[in-house]
Amino acid sequence: MNTNNFIMTLIGVGINLIDVLCIILPVLLAVAFMTIIERKQLAAHQRRVGPNTVGYYGILQPFADALKLILKETVIPSQSNKVLFYLAPVSTLVFSLLGWGVIPFGQGLAISDLSMGILYTLALSSLGVYGVLLAGWSANSKYAFLGSLRSTAAMISYELILSSAILIIILLTGSLNFTTIIETQQAVWFIIPLLPVFIFYFIAILAETSRTPFDLQEAKDYLFLTKFDLASFLFWFLYRTLFCTFCFLLLRGILYSIIFNNSFVNESLINLQALFLGIKTCIFCFLFVLFRATLPRLRYDQLIDLCWLNLLPVAVAFIILVPSILIAFDIAPY
């Protein structure tokens, strides 16, 4: 009997691993191809060719870049905290991948349909801040440490705005479950009545994930990666593509689609649910690359002022307004 239970447990673990790989492997491929798509779109905006040598139409360029970084010599600064020096980029990579565990690609198409899926996603997003802070601190360099503090302050500030926008959706639906939020939008997508909320949600994602015009992590005055060699920087390259391009362009784009303009399609089109979600996510990603190609970088003080003096009062106003309207018209789900 114990042997049978052990075998059944192994089979269950194997099935779960297959489910995880079916999500992670396509996502990793999407990361690679999203980088080349972004570079091609930026080249089109700037009237240049872009990568077109490695593979047909430059399609293998991301794999060539990753291979080049992996083959570089590993150099560890003698005064650095060696454990945290490597733990920082690895932790951000892990947190970025864990966010896909609760994403419903269609009805019943999720690794884990948690009842508190939004809270899980926000928790992982907040933990990503520690990787940035540890990266600057572990190098034992004042220059890198000050840069990481500034980047961390910006990420924490806009995490508040991002959480406020999602809190409004929670107040509107009365649930923390992604599937319930999608089912609530069968009559009308939330982006229509909550367009101002979507706008500051969009801005918060730009800042919280350090994308243009809020990409201070890449500005020379705020750079905290000065002590990372190419092999260590590979993890930060993956962090940028996974958290800022993949988690931001893909995971954040999918979250936008789920929270603001997604509903389950008819039963006859159930196999196309993931396709519809992907198309809407691609449109969202296009907008983020468009912002990168057109807007200049803000100064650090402008970044903080925009959050605390402009976006936060609007977010607090909507947090009060939305439940007040629901209660006044007796349509609150709670």
Side-chain angles (χ1 to χ4, degrees):
M1 187 66 179
N2 292 332
T3 303
N4 292 334
N5 290 337
F6 179 72
I7 293 174
M8 294 301 296
T9 301
L10 287 180
I11 293 175
V13 171
I15 293 175
N16 290 334
L17 287 176
I18 292 174
D19 292 339
V20 171
L21 290 176
C22 288
I23 297 295
I24 296 301
L25 291 181
V27 163
L28 292 176
L29 288 176
V31 172
F33 287 110
M34 193 63 231
T35 58
I36 189 66
I37 290 172
E38 181 177 20
R39 293 173 68 180
K40 284 290 187 180
Q41 184 179 337
L42 289 174
H45 285 297
Q46 298 164 0
R47 298 179 65 85
R48 54 185 176 85
V49 177
N52 63 346
T53 303
V54 184
Y56 177 74
Y57 203 61
I59 199 170
L60 299 179
Q61 185 67 47
F63 303 102
D65 292 338
L67 180 62
K68 179 185 69 175
L69 290 173
I70 291 173
L71 295 177
K72 293 293 184 179
E73 180 184 2
T74 301
V75 178
I76 303 176
S78 59
Q79 300 299 320
S80 67
N81 186 317
K82 296 177 178 58
V83 176
L84 295 180
F85 191 77
Y86 279 106
L87 183 61
V90 171
S91 65
T92 56
L93 193 63
V94 171
F95 293 144
S96 299
L97 289 173
L98 287 176
W100 290 89
V102 296
I103 299 298
F105 295 93
Q107 199 161 9
L109 300 177
I111 295 178
S112 179
D113 190 14
L114 297 180
S115 60
M116 304 184 72
I118 289 183
L119 187 61
Y120 169 84
T121 303
L122 290 176
L124 288 178
S125 176
S126 301
L127 289 173
V129 175
Y130 289 99
V132 177
L133 188 60
L134 288 176
W137 183 81
S138 63
N140 198 21
S141 167
K142 294 180 180 179
Y143 184 79
F145 182 56
L146 289 176
S148 68
L149 286 179
R150 285 177 166 177
S151 297
T152 301
M155 294 175 68
I156 291 176
S157 297
Y158 281 88
E159 185 74 27
L160 179 62
I161 304 299
L162 185 68
S163 302
S164 299
I166 297 178
L167 177 60
I168 295 171
I169 301 297
I170 295 173
L171 292 173
L172 192 60
T173 59
S175 175
L176 291 166
N177 181 259
F178 284 117
T179 302
T180 304
I181 292 175
I182 294 173
E183 292 173 348
T184 309
Q185 299 180 71
Q186 296 292 346
V188 60
W189 288 345
F190 289 154
I191 192 174
I192 297 175
L194 297 177
L195 182 60
V197 177
F198 163 72
I199 292 175
F200 70 74
Y201 173 84
F202 184 90
I203 296 173
I205 291 179
L206 283 175
E208 198 261 340
T209 52
S210 302
R211 294 283 297 189
T212 306
F214 309 106
D215 55 337
L216 297 182
Q217 292 180 8
E218 298 178 12
K220 62 182 179 63
D221 295 331
Y222 308 102
L223 193 64
F224 62 91
L225 301 176
T226 53
K227 299 298 181 180
F228 279 78
D229 69 299
L230 266 296
S232 303
F233 184 77
L234 171 64
F235 288 106
W236 278 109
F237 174 77
L238 288 176
Y239 161 69
R240 264 191 51 201
T241 55
L242 285 172
F243 194 81
C244 294
T245 298
F246 148 61
C247 251
F248 160 63
L249 291 179
L250 297 178
L251 181 57
R252 293 299 189 189
I254 285 180
L255 289 178
Y256 142 78
S257 300
I258 291 173
I259 293 174
F260 284 100
N261 70 340
N262 192 35
S263 57
F264 290 136
V265 296
N266 297 329
E267 293 295 332
S268 59
L269 300 175
I270 192 170
N271 294 328
L272 299 178
Q273 288 179 354
L275 177 61
F276 292 153
L277 181 63
I279 292 174
K280 287 181 285 189
T281 303
C282 288
I283 295 174
F284 192 63
C285 295
F286 172 82
L287 292 177
F288 280 110
V289 181
L290 179 64
F291 270 65
R292 178 178 180 181
T294 55
L295 296 180
R297 180 182 292 131
L298 294 180
R299 296 196 314 267
Y300 179 75
D301 60 312
Q302 294 173 328
L303 172 69
I304 298 300
D305 287 346
L306 177 63
C307 171
W308 295 100
L309 300 181
N310 297 285
L311 294 181
L312 186 60
V314 175
V316 173
F318 271 93
I319 290 175
I320 298 173
L321 178 63
V322 170
S324 299
I325 294 176
L326 294 177
I327 294 174
F329 289 92
D330 197 22
I331 55 176
Y334 33 83

